[in-house]
Amino acid sequence: MILTPELLGALVAQLPLPPRDIHGVAHWGRVLENGQRLSLLTGARLDVVELFSVFHDARRFNNGRDPEHGIRGAELAQQLRGVWFELDDAGLDLLVTACRRHADGLLDADVTIQTCWDSDRLDLGRVGIFPRTELLCTPAARDPQVIAWANRRSILRKVPHAVLTVWDQDY
């Protein structure tokens, strides 16, 4: 896995919001698990999907309107590439685009970017929003069973296994 405890520690250390926030580490972990499940079905680049899970909200300044947070997350990924993780140029381009545009409501993009966006959108239950099929990009994410699975975990604010073990985060 490309996500190491060291990378996570570096991201948590610079978070503007508390790590237990609704856009924090548990959310990242659910986005990761959503993305891993979707990637098996979409053929998306798993390394990009995994990195998206932690960078897309890593520079959010508040829980309300923060239209630049995806851009800041993309810039952080560019800064930390080669320091805390390795990714080829094509993968970095996908990651940057996915982070920059993830809150824009777009549907059309490369399948890896779509998988990133869907993995985040499937975790909207935590803020009282049921994922709407017409706002999901991939057939895999639009599957009613996938939506139900992800939404249930989101509403319960499930702390994923990776957060507690692999990522070594104190929850």
Side-chain angles (χ1 to χ4, degrees):
M1 182 184 291
I2 198 165
L3 301 178
T4 64
E6 294 78 18
L7 170 58
L8 270 293
L11 291 175
V12 168
Q14 62 77 54
L15 271 177
L17 295 173
R20 291 177 184 242
D21 198 77
I22 61 169
H23 290 100
V25 176
H27 166 60
W28 298 354
R30 288 188 304 273
V31 172
L32 170 66
E33 290 180 345
N34 292 345
Q36 289 170 329
R37 182 171 180 167
L38 292 176
S39 292
L40 292 172
L41 302 168
T42 66
R45 282 190 56 172
L46 188 56
D47 56 351
V48 173
V49 171
E50 289 181 354
L51 288 165
F52 171 83
S53 73
V54 298
F55 281 105
H56 78 285
D57 281 344
R59 297 298 298 151
R60 198 174 239 294
F61 291 159
N62 63 59
N63 288 315
R65 185 154 159 62
D66 186 358
E68 304 295 315
H69 79 276
I71 293 168
R72 291 190 300 270
E75 290 169 351
L76 182 62
Q78 290 171 309
Q79 292 167 8
L80 297 183
R81 176 191 182 204
V83 178
W84 294 107
F85 69 93
E86 298 299 328
L87 189 64
D88 60 58
D89 291 342
L92 184 65
D93 288 344
L94 292 169
L95 176 60
V96 165
T97 300
C99 287
R100 285 180 178 267
R101 307 301 306 271
H102 81 275
D104 294 346
L106 301 174
L107 298 174
D108 293 326
D110 174 275
V111 71
T112 296
I113 294 169
Q114 290 179 319
T115 302
C116 291
W117 293 343
D118 283 349
S119 65
D120 185 39
R121 292 171 187 173
L122 285 169
D123 197 46
L124 287 171
R126 76 192 190 288
V127 293
I129 299 171
F130 186 83
R132 292 177 33 203
T133 310
E134 67 272 16
L135 299 178
L136 296 169
C137 304
T138 63
R142 291 190 293 266
D143 179 320
Q145 290 180 332
V146 170
I147 293 171
W149 169 80
N151 193 56
R152 183 172 41 257
R153 294 166 57 255
S154 183
I155 289 169
L156 296 174
R157 296 198 179 166
K158 181 181 181 321
V159 179
H161 181 73
V163 172
L164 299 171
T165 57
V166 179
W167 293 3
D168 195 30
Q169 292 298 306
D170 180 22
Y171 249 84

